[in-house]
Amino acid sequence: MSAAIATVAALALPISFSRSSKISSKRGISGGFRVFAIIGEEGGSIERKKPWNTLFEVEDPRSKLQRSDGKFLDAYQALEVARFDIQFCDWKARQDVLAIMLLHEKVVEVLNPLAREFKSIGTLKKELAELQEGLAQAHNQVHISEARVSRAVDKLAYMETLVNDKIMQERTVPEDDVSPPSTSTGSAESTKNRQARRSLNVSGPVQPYSPRLKNFWYPIAFSADLKDDTMVPLDCFEESWVLFRGKDGKPGCVRNTCAHRACPLDLGSVHEGRIQCPYHGWEYSTDGKCEKMPSTKLLNVRIKALPCFEQEGMIWIWPGDDPPTASLPSLLPPSGFQIHAEIVMELPVEHGLLLDNLLDLAHAPFTHTSTFAKGWSVPSMVKFLTPANGLQGYWDPYPIDMEFRPPCMVLSTIGISKPGKLEGQSTRECSTHLHQLHVCLPSSRNKTRLLYRMSLDFAPILKYVPFMQYVWRYFAEQVLNEDLRLVLGQQERMLKGANIWNLPVSYDKLGVRYRIWRNSVEEGCEQEPFSK
């Protein structure tokens, strides 16, 4: 039947036809029935005039969007698309909330005492079960809408940054900008940035780490590497810690030193969710409390424990003194990718030097001639394109997107048209991709704990090839060894006073911005664009 046909929900209440009935004789009612009707569209929600209806009378914005499928959009058109996303998400969220409110009203109607008199318990249970399922779906839809709104707001902010950056480029073009040279005069901000780059000095012995640099969540291990009966010793900011799982299976991170005689706890073992010192058997839980002291009276003893959390296959700690933030960033690969390798390495270089290296792609055709960049041609110009003050962007002419994620993560997506070769001007033009995550944990002033995760959006069968993990590790070590011989040489000269950031050029943009971010954090004046 047509959805436009009105439906009538009728409830017939039979009345006695007995002439001897006192109620009938007094009221003059000899028989009949009552009808309660609700008119609405078949298959749709029932329309009711409520005071809050105006909140949901928002026009569907999809009819106003101009189709642009298959077209390349400039920054202004992309900004309009982002604004449309906000309008659509708002409209969809209102519809989801309206659905929940109407379903709640139906629940009240089903539970109404008058309705219960004329319906069986079985019917009520069935209707309530259907309504509960509908409410669950509606609530789930609201959560999805909230996520969409959040993503759309982030996208809009990013597009506005791009547009503002484009406007700035049109007005003034600094010497290392992404647009062609022009005769425009540099703005005060551009001059200031150039002066900051020229004055960037990273030389001499590595200074003790600022406490402010510790007030971040740091990934320290992959979940798969921490079994119930094992522990992982590690250094972070020149302090020794040990990671293990408690009775509840949740990870904990405690100082790797027994409170009794300062014996390293990682030389012991894990018993029933507690780490046991190998010297006298004192046992500590994941919160640092000593719960067993064999051969003596139990004392109230505790060692330092760090806030520790597990999310998306990684274990995080908060080494700072400030209260930890409520949420952790996501480091999962984009949708469509599968994780193929998770590798941990200890490298004898300061973590900032390793980050400098990972954020630089211009060195690839000169350094990695035996591995992934073998056969690469040397472009006449290499640039990193990014919004003003951004910590993410893409390389030109390489089809590689890259981002520095504070405090110590580098994420990159490499477009691969043919396995092992780079082709195309952007990642969107490539049919297959490699996604990489590098976490450079500052173990000490001359050592870095590197967590590497590699994901692919093709060849899923490789996950099931025996010993493939060892193959990936071999390739990763080959690439890193090509970098290490250079970075170790940099470190040696830096310690003797050489400035490793002397004369930065255009392709150094992302590395310079990392250094500016780090300096601003250590000096306690972190800039807003770098805090995202």
Side-chain angles (χ1 to χ4, degrees), residues 15-281:
I15 307 297
S16 173
F17 287 89
S18 171
R19 293 183 180 179
S20 63
S21 170
K22 293 182 180 180
I23 296 177
S24 298
S25 61
K26 284 184 179 181
R27 297 186 181 180
I29 299 175
S30 59
F33 58 89
R34 300 174 186 175
V35 176
F36 297 89
I38 300 171
I39 308 299
E41 287 193 359
E42 183 180 46
S45 58
I46 296 167
E47 175 140 3
R48 298 166 182 268
K49 288 297 180 182
K50 296 288 182 183
W52 38 258
N53 265 13
T54 54
L55 294 175
F56 306 104
E57 291 175 354
V58 177
E59 184 181 356
D60 186 345
R62 287 175 293 186
S63 59
K64 298 180 180 180
L65 179 67
Q66 295 182 358
R67 303 297 297 177
S68 56
D69 297 343
K71 297 180 181 178
F72 290 97
L73 305 180
D74 60 27
Y76 300 99
Q77 291 171 325
L79 179 60
E80 288 304 313
V81 172
R83 285 175 176 157
F84 162 77
D85 286 346
I86 295 287
Q87 295 174 9
F88 175 74
C89 288
D90 174 72
W91 172 83
K92 188 68 173 66
R94 289 172 189 260
Q95 299 304 309
D96 295 337
V97 173
L98 177 59
I100 287 179
M101 296 181 75
L102 291 178
L103 282 166
H104 274 293
E105 282 198 347
K106 290 189 72 176
V107 171
V108 172
E109 289 176 5
V110 169
L111 296 176
N112 188 289
L114 289 175
R116 285 204 301 267
E117 292 179 11
F118 306 103
K119 294 183 180 180
S120 68
I121 293 177
T123 303
L124 285 173
K125 285 183 177 180
K126 181 180 178 182
E127 291 184 0
L128 281 175
E130 292 174 352
L131 288 171
Q132 285 173 345
E133 182 180 356
L135 278 172
Q137 292 176 356
H139 278 290
N140 184 54
Q141 194 61 41
V142 166
H143 292 317
I144 293 173
S145 294
E146 288 175 351
R148 285 174 179 163
V149 169
S150 177
R151 288 196 298 269
V153 169
D154 291 343
K155 181 178 178 182
L156 180 62
Y158 179 71
M159 295 308 304
E160 286 179 341
T161 305
L162 283 176
V163 170
N164 292 336
D165 194 34
K166 183 176 177 63
I167 293 172
M168 183 62 70
Q169 292 174 24
E170 292 172 352
R171 292 178 181 172
T172 172
V173 183
E175 61 188 41
D176 66 339
D177 213 323
V178 298
S179 44
S182 72
T183 55
S184 335
T185 4
S187 65
E189 183 180 356
S190 303
T191 305
K192 184 179 179 182
N193 287 339
R194 289 198 298 273
Q195 289 173 348
R197 288 184 173 90
R198 282 199 296 269
S199 63
L200 191 62
N201 187 3
V202 182
S203 62
V206 181
Q207 298 302 309
Y209 290 112
S210 165
R212 298 185 184 92
L213 200 60
K214 299 179 182 180
N215 289 318
F216 292 89
W217 283 108
Y218 283 84
I220 58 170
F222 293 111
S223 298
D225 294 335
L226 187 65
K227 310 300 182 185
D228 289 341
D229 56 347
T230 62
M231 51 186 152
V232 175
L234 57 99
D235 293 334
C236 182
F237 289 108
E238 300 188 283
E239 292 186 276
S240 295
W241 305 91
V242 61
L243 187 68
F244 65 103
R245 293 190 183 276
K247 291 180 180 178
D248 56 1
K250 295 180 180 179
C253 185
V254 301
R255 193 184 295 280
N256 192 9
T257 305
C258 182
H260 179 214
R261 300 281 294 277
C263 180
L265 292 174
D266 69 289
L267 298 178
S269 57
V270 177
H271 288 289
E272 298 178 348
R274 293 185 298 267
I275 191 167
Q276 184 185 72
C277 176
Y279 208 173
H280 296 93

Side-chain angles (χ1 to χ4, degrees), residues 280-301:
H280 296 93
W282 290 23
E283 295 186 11
Y284 300 89
S285 58
T286 53
D287 62 357
K289 182 176 177 58
C290 185
E291 295 185 345
K292 271 193 176 184
M293 291 182 183
S295 309
T296 187
K297 182 181 177 181
L298 181 64
L299 303 176
N300 185 16
V301 173

